C-alpha cells in the first residue's frame, strides 16, 4: 500500500507530498492540470525509463519517493530478504526512491540503499500496477492470460502447479544429462583415448599435494649455495674460531667471577652470559654440521628444475595447483568409467528420463483438468461482471489448447470475447474499443481482487469512452476492489470521484510567469464544490446534485 508519495522538481511540480488512504483515492482536475504528471512520477517507481525531460526547468535533478506499507506474508517479503532487506526491522515499511539528473545519472534506492535498476523494477512491479485506457499490461498480452487464470486457483491448485514446475525441471535436468552422455558416446573412442592420455600424463609424475612448494624451497637453496656456504663458514669462525665471540664472552665471564663476591649483580651477569655462551656453542655446532654436510649436487638441481617444469606444464593444462590437477584426474577417471560402462548408464538414465517425463505429464494432465474447471468458473464470473457493467450481450471464452510441454504444464490459454450480438469470438487483445477494454479489465480486477498480490492499483482515466449509467457501475466496481487493494484513480467522472474515500484536486498555477502543478487534499465541503465543477451547468443545480451524489456514495 502506497502511504506517501513525494515528488520534487519533476516536470511542473516543485515540491509535493501526498498521503493516501488505504482504500479508494481519486485525483481530479481540469484537462491539462497535470494529472498525467503524477502517473509519470509513479511509473518511475516501477522502473520506467527516466528521461532528463522530466526534470523541472532550471533544476539539475528530479526525485520521486514512495513509502509503502507491506502486508505481512506478502510474497515480496521473501524476495526482499534475498536482497538483504528485513521488513521486520523496518516496521514493514519500504521506501523506493528514484533520482534523475541532467548528467544522465540515474540512482535507485530501496530503504536508502542503492540498488540496480533491474532490482528496483522487480520490487516496484510487485507493489503497483498502472492501468490506462491503452495500457492494460497483463490483459493485452495473450501470453499472460495463463497467469491470470492460474491466480484464481486455490492453495491445492497452487501446490499442484508447483509440483508440475518441479517435475518439469527434474525431467529437463535428466534429459540434459542423457543428451550430454549420448553426445560423448558419439566420439567415444576418440574421447577415451584423450581421457586415458590425460590420466597417464598426470600419473607419470606421481604427484604429491605439497610437492611443488618443497621443490621451490630446495631450488632456492641450490640456486644460492655459494652464498649460503660462505656465510655458514664465516659465521662459524666468528662464533667459535680464533678470537671469536665465544672466546671474548668467556673472558668476560672469568673476569666477572673474580668480582662476583663483591656484588651479587656481577654473579647474575656472569650467569646470563654463560647462557649466551651455550647458545653460541649450539649455533656454532649447527653451522659446522650444516657446512660439513652441505654439498652442491648439480644433478639434483637439474632434476628439480625438470620436475618443476613438468609440473608447471600440467598446471597450465589441468589446473593452477597440484590439488586441482589431482581433482581433474579423479574427475577424468570417473568419466572414463562412465564411458566404458555407458551402455548400462545410458539405459539406466533413459529409464530415469522416462520416469520423470511420466511424472511430469501425470501432474500436468491433472493440472490441465483443474485449469479447465477454473476456466469455466472464470467465464461465468466475467460474463456476470460485464452484465453489471452494461455489456449484457457479451460472450467470453477461455480457450485452452495443448502446447509443447512447458514449466506451467501442457496448456496454452487465451481469452476470447464477443462484445456484440452476432459477432464471433475474437482474441481479447485485439478488441478496438477502449471503453470496452476498460470494463473488461475492471471485471478481471473485481474477480481477482481478493487473490491479487499487488498492493496498489492505479487506474488512469478508466472512464474514457463510457458514460451514463455505465460509469456508475464502474464506480461501484472500483469501490469494491478498494476493499481488497488500495486504489488510486485519475478520473474526469464525478460519479467515480463521489465514491472515493479520499479526494485530491490537481491544479495548474501560473505565477510570476512560472507554471506549477499543485495538488490539494479536499475536505468534504471542497469535495462538493469539485464535484459540482465536474458536473458543469447551473451552479445551484450542480451543487445540489453533487450533495446528493456524496450522500448516496456514503451509504454504500
Amino acid at each position: 500500500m502506497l502511504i506517501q508519495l513525494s515528488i520534487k522538481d519533476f516536470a511542473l511540480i516543485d515540491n509535493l507530498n501526498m498521503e493516501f488512504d488505504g482504500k479508494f483515492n481519486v485525483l481530479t482536475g481540469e484537462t491539462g492540470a497535470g494529472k498525467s504528471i503524477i502517473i509519470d512520477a509513479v511509473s518511475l517507481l516501477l522502473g520506467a525509463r527516466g528521461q532528463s525531460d522530466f526534470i523541472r526547468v532550471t533544476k539539475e535533478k528530479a526525485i520521486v519517493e514512495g513509502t509503502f506499507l507491506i502486508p505481512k506474508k506478502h510474497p515480496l517479503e521473501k524476495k526482499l530478504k534475498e536482497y538483504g532487506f528485513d521488513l521486520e526491522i523496518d516496521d514493514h515499511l519500504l521506501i523506493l526512491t528514484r533520482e534523475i539528473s541532467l548528467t544522465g545519472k540515474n540512482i535507485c534506492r530501496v530503504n536508502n540503499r542503492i540498488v540496480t535498476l533491474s532490482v528496483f523494477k522487480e520490487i516496484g512491479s510487485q507493489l503497483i500496477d498502472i492501468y490506462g485506457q491503452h495500457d492494460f499490461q497483463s490483459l493485452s498480452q495473450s501470453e499472460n492470460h495463463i497467469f491470470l487464470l492460474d491466480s484464481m486457483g486455490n492453495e491445492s491448485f497452487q501446490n499442484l502447479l508447483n509440483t508440475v514446475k518441479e517435475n518439469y525441471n527434474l525431467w529437463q535436468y535428466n534429459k540434459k544429462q542423457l543428451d550430454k552422455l549420448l553426445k560423448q558416446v558419439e566420439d567415444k573412442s576418440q574421447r577415451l583415448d584423450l581421457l586415458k592420455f590425460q590420466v597417464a600424463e598426470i600419473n607419470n609424475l606421481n604427484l604429491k599435494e605439497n610437492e611443488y612448494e618443497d621443490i621451490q624451497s630446495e631450488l632456492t637453496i641450490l640456486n644460492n649455495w655459494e652464498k649460503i656456504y660462505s656465510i655458514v663458514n664465516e659465521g662459524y669462525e666468528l662464533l667459535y674460531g680464533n678470537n671469536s665471540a665465544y672466546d671474548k664472552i668467556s673472558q668476560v665471564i672469568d673476569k666477572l667471577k673474580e668480582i662476583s663476591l663483591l656484588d651479587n649483580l656481577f654473579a647474575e651477569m656472569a650467569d646470563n652470559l654463560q647462557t649466551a655462551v651455550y647458545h653460541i656453542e649450539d649455533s656454532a655446532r649447527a653451522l659446522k654440521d650444516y657446512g660439513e654436510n652441505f654439498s652442491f649436487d648439480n644433478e639434483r638441481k637439474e632434476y628439480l628444475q625438470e620436475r618443476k617444469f613438468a609440473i608447471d606444464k600440467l598446471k597450465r593444462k589441468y589446473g593452477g595447483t597440484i590439488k586441482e590437477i589431482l581433482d581433474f584426474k579423479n574427475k577424468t577417471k570417473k568419466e572414463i568409467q562412465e564411458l566404458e560402462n555407458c551402455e548400462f548408464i545410458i539405459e539406466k538414465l533413459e529409464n530415469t528420463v522416462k520416469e520423470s517425463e511420466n511424472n511430469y505429464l501425470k501432474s500436468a494432465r491433472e493440472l490441465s483438468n483443474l485449469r479447465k474447471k477454473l476456466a469455466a468458473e472464470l467465464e461465468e464470473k466475467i460474463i456476470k461482471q460485464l452484465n453489471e457493467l452494461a455489456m449484457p450481450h457479451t460472450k467470453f471464452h477461455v480457450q485452452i489448447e495443448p502446447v509443447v510441454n512447458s514449466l506451467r504444464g501442457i496448456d496454452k490459454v487465451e481469452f476470447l470475447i464477443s462484445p456484440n450480438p452476432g459477432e464471433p469470438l475474437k482474441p481479447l487483445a485485439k478488441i478496438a474499443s477502449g471503453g470496452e477494454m476498460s470494463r473488461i479489465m475492471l471485471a478481471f480486477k473485481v474477480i481477482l481482487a481478493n487473490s491479487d498480490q499487488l498492493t496498489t492499483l492505479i487506474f488512469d482515466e478508466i472512464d474514457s469512452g463510457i458514460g451514463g449509467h455505465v460509469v456508475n457501475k464502474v464506480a461501484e466496481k472500483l469501490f469494491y476492489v478498494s476493499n481488497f487493494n488500495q486504489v488510486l484513480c485519475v478520473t474526469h467522472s464525478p460519479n467515480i470521484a463521489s465514491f472515493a474515500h479520499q479526494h485530491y484536486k490537481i491544479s495548474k498555477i501560473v505565477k510570476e510567469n512560472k507554471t506549477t502543478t499543485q495538488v490539494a487534499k479536499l475536505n468534504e465541503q471542497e469535495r462538493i464544490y469539485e464535484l459540482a465543477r465536474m458536473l458543469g451547468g447551473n451552479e445551484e443545480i450542480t451543487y445540489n446534485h453533487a450533495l446528493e451524489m456524496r450522500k448516496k456514495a456514503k451509504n454504500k
Side-chain angles (χ1 to χ4, degrees):
M1 179 174 70
L2 179 63
I3 58 176
Q4 187 173 33
L5 177 67
S6 299
I7 305 172
K8 185 175 182 182
D9 299 329
F10 184 88
L12 297 178
I13 296 173
D14 283 330
N15 202 339
L16 178 66
N17 287 293
M18 302 173 70
E19 293 182 358
F20 295 103
D21 187 89
K23 289 192 172 185
F24 191 8
N25 304 263
V26 292
L27 292 84
T28 65
E30 297 280 4
T31 300
K35 297 186 292 296
S36 61
I37 294 174
I38 307 295
I39 302 300
D40 288 339
V42 175
S43 297
L44 290 178
L45 300 181
L46 275 73
R49 183 169 172 263
Q51 304 175 50
S52 58
D53 293 346
F54 286 147
I55 302 171
R56 186 95 160 108
V57 176
T58 74
K59 302 297 180 179
E60 295 183 357
K61 64 182 179 180
I63 300 173
V64 179
E65 184 173 278
T67 302
F68 296 84
L69 178 63
I70 310 299
K72 290 184 178 179
K73 297 183 180 179
H74 189 277
L76 183 59
E77 194 166 5
K78 183 179 178 183
K79 178 59 67 177
L80 287 169
K81 283 186 178 179
E82 290 177 13
Y83 290 128
F85 298 100
D86 192 340
L87 288 176
E88 294 292 341
I89 294 175
D90 298 317
D91 297 325
H92 279 263
L93 289 178
L94 193 68
I95 302 174
L96 303 185
T97 310
R98 189 87 179 269
E99 183 178 307
I100 304 167
S101 67
L102 289 175
T103 60
K105 195 174 182 182
N106 197 328
I107 299 175
C108 302
R109 290 186 177 89
V110 176
N111 282 6
N112 209 32
R113 196 179 90 193
I114 293 177
V115 298
T116 63
L117 180 58
S118 61
V119 170
F120 191 83
K121 189 173 184 178
E122 183 179 6
I123 293 170
S125 64
Q126 293 189 55
L127 295 173
I128 307 176
D129 214 345
I130 299 176
Y131 297 89
Q133 185 182 355
H134 301 292
D135 181 20
F136 302 109
Q137 299 176 356
S138 54
L139 266 183
S140 62
Q141 298 171 350
S142 60
E143 59 268 27
N144 290 325
H145 291 177
I146 192 169
F147 297 98
L148 283 167
L149 178 61
D150 288 352
S151 66
M152 289 182 60
N154 58 21
E155 185 177 352
S156 177
F157 180 92
Q158 302 303 330
N159 290 337
L160 181 57
L161 178 59
N162 289 332
T163 300
V164 169
K165 291 177 182 178
E166 290 168 5
N167 288 344
Y168 180 81
N169 287 330
L170 180 59
W171 175 33
Q172 294 305 306
Y173 172 78
N174 290 334
K175 276 180 67 177
K176 285 180 183 177
Q177 296 302 107
L178 178 60
D179 291 342
K180 179 183 174 184
L181 191 54
L182 289 171
K183 190 175 180 182
Q184 290 173 349
V185 170
E186 287 177 9
D187 53 353
K188 175 182 173 182
S189 179
Q190 244 181 339
R191 182 68 179 167
L192 273 173
D193 287 344
L194 172 64
L195 296 175
K196 287 178 178 178
F197 169 79
Q198 291 173 331
V199 170
E201 187 178 30
I202 295 171
N203 280 340
N204 285 340
L205 278 186
N206 193 24
L207 295 170
K208 296 179 178 60
E209 202 164 299
N210 297 318
E211 177 183 5
Y212 194 79
E213 290 76 13
D214 295 339
I215 290 173
Q216 286 183 308
S217 297
E218 192 172 347
L219 277 175
T220 300
I221 293 171
L222 289 172
N223 288 331
N224 295 277
W225 72 273
E226 290 178 328
K227 183 177 182 180
I228 293 171
Y229 187 76
S230 171
I231 290 176
V232 164
N233 287 327
E234 184 181 351
Y236 175 79
E237 286 300 320
L238 288 170
L239 288 176
Y240 213 68
N242 292 326
N243 200 29
S244 64
Y246 176 85
D247 292 337
K248 289 178 180 178
I249 294 174
S250 295
Q251 290 173 15
V252 174
I253 291 170
D254 291 340
K255 294 294 184 182
L256 288 172
K257 285 181 177 178
E258 290 179 13
I259 58 175
S260 60
L261 293 175
L262 302 176
D263 193 331
N264 287 335
L265 180 62
F266 300 123
E268 186 179 339
M269 289 180 186
D271 289 341
N272 291 338
L273 289 172
Q274 187 63 55
T275 301
V277 167
Y278 294 147
H279 287 304
I280 289 171
E281 283 183 310
D282 290 342
S283 298
R285 191 177 299 111
L287 286 172
K288 184 179 181 183
D289 290 344
Y290 192 99
E292 290 175 349
N293 293 318
F294 184 84
S295 62
F296 175 73
D297 187 343
N298 194 53
E299 289 185 4
R300 175 67 177 170
K301 179 180 177 182
E302 289 178 358
Y303 165 76
L304 292 173
Q305 287 175 330
E306 289 173 1
R307 189 157 178 82
K308 181 176 180 294
F309 177 80
I311 294 174
D312 284 335
K313 184 180 177 182
L314 290 185
K315 285 169 70 177
R316 286 192 295 271
K317 292 172 72 174
Y318 306 124
T321 64
I322 288 179
K323 183 181 183 306
E324 289 175 1
I325 294 170
L326 295 174
D327 288 343
F328 176 86
K329 183 186 78 170
N330 293 331
K331 183 181 176 182
T332 304
K333 285 172 70 177
K334 183 180 178 183
E335 188 177 344
I336 291 171
Q337 187 179 13
E338 287 177 353
L339 283 173
E340 289 177 339
N341 299 282
C342 63
E343 286 80 8
F344 170 76
I345 296 171
I346 287 173
E347 183 181 355
K348 186 178 179 182
L349 196 49
E350 282 176 338
N351 291 332
T352 302
V353 169
K354 191 64 181 174
E355 183 183 354
S356 57
E357 180 185 9
N358 289 336
N359 288 337
Y360 164 74
L361 290 173
K362 181 182 177 183
S363 57
R365 290 188 192 106
E366 188 180 347
L367 180 68
S368 181
N369 291 331
L370 289 180
R371 195 173 269 146
K372 286 167 185 172
K373 291 179 181 178
L374 271 184
E377 291 176 21
L378 178 60
E379 289 173 354
E380 185 180 339
K381 289 178 179 179
I382 284 287
I383 290 170
K384 180 178 181 294
Q385 290 296 327
L386 292 179
N387 279 332
E388 294 176 5
L389 287 166
M391 293 178 69
H393 305 294
T394 301
K395 293 179 183 177
F396 180 85
H397 176 60
V398 180
Q399 179 177 274
I400 298 179
E401 296 180 332
V403 291
V404 177
N405 307 309
S406 72
L407 194 62
R408 297 190 79 87
I410 55 175
D411 299 322
K412 177 187 175 184
V413 176
E414 185 170 12
F415 300 147
L416 306 178
I417 194 164
S418 169
N420 301 307
E423 289 187 0
L425 289 163
K426 292 181 181 179
L428 177 65
K430 294 181 180 178
I431 287 181
S433 167
E436 289 170 342
M437 194 62 165
S438 296
R439 282 177 278 173
I440 294 163
M441 178 271 297
L442 184 56
F444 268 96
K445 296 317 297 181
V446 171
I447 294 167
L448 299 173
N450 212 359
S451 58
D452 210 324
Q453 294 177 347
L454 292 159
T455 62
T456 301
L457 305 176
I458 298 178
F459 296 92
D460 186 11
E461 299 189 4
I462 194 174
D463 51 289
S464 295
I466 57 176
H469 72 284
V470 177
V471 77
N472 283 327
K473 296 294 184 181
V474 170
E476 290 173 3
K477 296 299 180 187
L478 288 170
F479 185 84
Y480 174 81
V481 172
S482 72
N483 289 317
F484 307 97
N485 305 93
Q486 182 188 40
V487 172
L488 274 64
C489 183
V490 175
T491 183
H492 287 286
S493 167
N495 306 66
I496 291 175
S498 68
F499 275 83
H501 296 94
Q502 190 163 292
H503 191 151
Y504 280 98
K505 182 180 179 181
I506 302 173
S507 307
K508 187 185 288 185
I509 307 296
V510 180
K511 188 176 181 181
E512 297 179 357
N513 208 27
K514 181 182 178 183
T515 306
T516 304
T517 290
Q518 295 182 352
V519 181
K521 179 181 174 182
L522 305 182
N523 59 32
E524 185 61 31
Q525 187 61 43
E526 289 168 337
R527 289 189 67 173
I528 303 298
Y529 284 119
E530 175 62 4
L531 290 176
R533 181 199 66 78
M534 295 170 75
L535 286 164
N538 181 279
E539 288 185 10
E540 183 179 350
I541 294 173
T542 55
Y543 181 83
N544 291 332
H545 190 181
L547 272 174
E548 190 63 29
M549 291 174 75
R550 281 297 293 152
K551 285 178 183 177
K552 287 182 179 179
K554 287 177 182 179
N555 291 329
K556 288 291 181 181

